[in-house]
Amino acid sequence: TDDTPSDEPTTLWLNGRIDRLAWHQNHIWILDWKTGTAAPRKPELAWQTGLYALAVSKAWQTLPDGPWKQADPKAISVA
């Protein structure tokens, strides 16, 4: 096989579940209950936290119009 790096984009599919997604005014909250495992000491540095925020930010742009559209997809917190 050829191990030369390619400029072609790579698609990676991930499957996951967010326990609860909420919004208040212009802020989006991702709630993730850790059942059976310890919560990360610094959730803002955990890879899962970053993936959740990225996924919600991208998905928020595709939602139909409604009161949730006032939320800013850049104003995301994970708790």
Side-chain angles (χ1 to χ4, degrees), residues 61-77:
Q61 299 169 21
T62 66
L63 291 175
D65 288 340
W68 49 83
K69 288 298 253 190
Q70 68 184 349
D72 181 357
K74 294 178 186 142
I76 297 174
S77 294

Side-chain angles (χ1 to χ4, degrees), residues 5-78:
S6 171
D7 290 334
E8 294 295 318
T10 301
T11 300
L12 177 65
W13 293 93
L14 298 173
N15 186 8
R17 181 177 301 173
I18 294 173
D19 294 319
R20 180 162 183 127
L21 186 61
W23 72 94
H24 179 69
Q25 295 174 350
N26 69 335
H27 203 90
I28 301 168
W29 289 91
I30 302 169
L31 303 174
D32 182 30
W33 287 276
K34 294 295 181 193
T35 308
T37 61
R41 289 183 182 203
K42 293 186 176 185
E44 67 276 8
L45 300 178
W47 66 268
Q48 187 178 23
T49 303
L51 283 176
Y52 282 169
L54 177 63
V56 168
S57 176
K58 295 292 184 184
W60 208 261
Q61 299 169 21
T62 66
L63 291 175
D65 288 340
W68 49 83
K69 288 298 253 190
Q70 68 184 349
D72 181 357
K74 294 178 186 142
I76 297 174
S77 294
V78 179

